[in-house]
Amino acid sequence: MATTDPARTAFDAPIDPDYDDVPRPHAHHRHGWWWKTLLVGLALWLITIVVTVFTRNTNLVPTIILLGSFLVPFTVVLFVIERVTGTVSTMQLIVAFFVGGILGVLGASVLEANLHQNVFLYIAVGFVEEFVKGVLLLFVGWRVRPKTARQGALLGATVGAGFAAFESAGYAFNAAITQQGIDLFSLLQTEVIRAVLSPVGHVLWTAILGAVIFGLAHGSQRIRWSWLVLVAYVGVALLHGLWDSTSEIAALIALLVTGNARMELMYGTLPPGSAGAVSALTNVLYLIGIAIVSVVGVIVLVTVLVHYRRRYPRPNRPAAGPGPEAAFGAAHQQGGAVDQRGDDDGWGSTPPPHVLR
């Protein structure tokens, strides 16, 4: 009696037209490495600061800048790696983070070089930077399958995290270098603020854009163009510009509320007592403004994801039968290679290879 080789069955099995739209887990899913890396990286950053203060070794300043600027954004990448599906590989995400981040800040610097300081500067910067990140997102995700809103949000978050990391490193460097030497306090303050805000800044804006673009392309191998893409781009650019201009808006409101706007316009300075009150109110209003913009961005992202999840219900994974995954699973079990630890840690077994067409 002839025996059937399950591996050969998997190779010869007919390909389901909707197979690429079925989310398939990767071997690197559900580890929790993102928060473990965050805790370990935070500890290393604090240790580096303590050693720098006690030894006064300025050679450690670049280490502080790199750790502080890249820790949270790279944690976002690990978060994405543990959740992405389909044909996206870990290497693609790493490349999107580093190459996308470098090209993003370079492209934004070139396009922003001729911008003039005026009331529309922050809006212009928002449009420029979101355009650059959007182009990089399209380049990274052009051939990614399956294309879903969730997948687009994860890829967009990766590109945004790369941009945020390299941009934060530049801001930290500028904050550290002063005419009196290295200002460690200013450096640390800049890194803490940008690290806390980066997930609801660059990461969030590009995630929204990616969710819309990939949501429209659901079920297709190619990007589908629609006026909704333009609406999403304009929306995230305006949110970006509003985010950047929050400090200026907060200062203006503080001057108006305290009745010092006229004094500032006429003399360009404020009395010591008034200056302290205006500064304190400005900080409070800035935090409130940042919180409002962040909440709006999160609501928009969640709304987009929920909309496309309801419009395109997530298909079930193939059941046991003639499909490639079922045959592969049979071969895996027959060969006795099943890990006795199970799938709880995510490394219990290796998923089937992606179907090539």
Side-chain angles (χ1 to χ4, degrees):
M1 179 177 179
T3 59
T4 303
D5 183 0
R8 170 56 59 182
T9 302
F11 183 81
D12 295 335
I15 297 177
D16 185 349
D18 297 326
Y19 183 71
D20 281 334
D21 290 333
V22 179
R24 300 185 295 281
H26 289 203
H28 47 239
H29 277 186
R30 303 301 178 187
H31 273 294
W33 281 106
W34 69 271
W35 63 264
K36 297 175 185 177
T37 301
L38 180 63
L39 294 179
V40 173
L42 179 60
L44 292 174
W45 184 68
L46 293 175
I47 292 172
T48 306
I49 294 172
V50 173
V51 173
T52 303
V53 171
F54 276 95
T55 63
R56 296 184 180 276
N57 184 1
T58 57
N59 290 333
L60 294 177
V61 172
T63 304
I64 296 177
I65 293 176
L66 291 176
L67 273 175
S69 301
F70 280 79
L71 178 57
V72 172
F74 191 71
T75 299
V76 172
V77 178
L78 294 180
F79 181 88
V80 171
I81 288 176
E82 294 179 3
R83 286 159 178 78
V84 76
T85 60
T87 61
V88 184
S89 67
T90 301
M91 184 55 66
Q92 283 178 303
L93 294 173
I94 298 298
V95 170
F97 176 78
F98 284 102
V99 177
I102 294 173
L103 293 179
V105 294
L106 290 177
S109 297
V110 171
L111 294 177
E112 295 171 5
N114 295 323
L115 294 180
H116 300 289
Q117 186 74 32
N118 55 51
V119 69
F120 299 107
L121 174 64
Y122 295 111
I123 300 298
V125 169
F127 275 90
V128 168
E129 294 186 354
E130 294 308 320
F131 172 78
V132 172
K133 290 189 294 179
V135 171
L136 293 172
L137 172 63
L138 291 177
F139 178 78
V140 172
W142 189 262
R143 303 192 66 178
V144 167
R145 291 185 295 177
K147 286 182 173 63
T148 63
R150 179 176 180 272
Q151 197 90 311
L154 291 173
L155 290 176
T158 302
V159 174
F163 192 101
F166 286 97
E167 186 181 61
S168 295
Y171 278 105
F173 176 80
N174 287 331
I177 304 301
T178 66
Q179 293 181 349
Q180 291 74 32
I182 296 177
D183 187 345
L184 187 60
F185 177 78
S186 180
L187 163 63
L188 298 179
Q189 184 182 47
T190 300
E191 288 202 320
V192 169
I193 293 176
R194 293 191 64 84
V196 172
L197 296 180
S198 60
V200 288
H202 283 295
V203 174
L204 179 59
W205 314 140
T206 319
I208 294 173
L209 186 59
V212 173
I213 293 176
F214 276 57
L216 290 170
H218 190 101
S220 174
Q221 297 183 17
R222 298 181 179 181
I223 300 295
R224 292 176 177 175
W225 302 108
S226 168
W227 63 272
L228 289 176
V229 175
L230 180 61
V231 171
Y233 165 66
V234 173
V236 297
L238 291 176
L239 285 174
H240 187 157
L242 183 60
W243 170 282
D244 289 345
S245 61
T246 301
S247 59
E248 302 292 335
I249 296 175
L252 177 60
I253 295 177
L255 288 172
L256 294 174
V257 170
T258 58
N260 290 288
R262 184 177 179 182
M263 180 73 69
E264 175 71 18
L265 290 175
M266 292 179 61
Y267 302 104
T269 184
L270 296 175
S274 298
V278 170
S279 178
L281 182 58
T282 298
N283 292 333
V284 173
L285 293 175
Y286 172 74
L287 293 177
I288 294 175
I290 287 295
I292 293 175
V293 178
S294 301
V295 170
V296 171
V298 171
I299 292 175
V300 171
L301 177 60
V302 172
T303 301
V304 172
L305 293 176
V306 170
H307 167 75
Y308 282 107
R309 185 173 62 184
R310 291 177 177 175
R311 184 174 181 180
Y312 304 106
R314 192 172 183 179
N316 297 322
R317 296 186 62 193
E325 276 194 349
F328 182 90
H332 188 59
Q333 295 180 10
Q334 189 181 57
V338 177
D339 194 325
Q340 297 301 320
R341 295 175 298 174
D343 294 333
D344 292 339
D345 61 354
W347 292 92
S349 60
T350 302
H354 300 303
V355 176
L356 301 179
R357 297 186 178 181

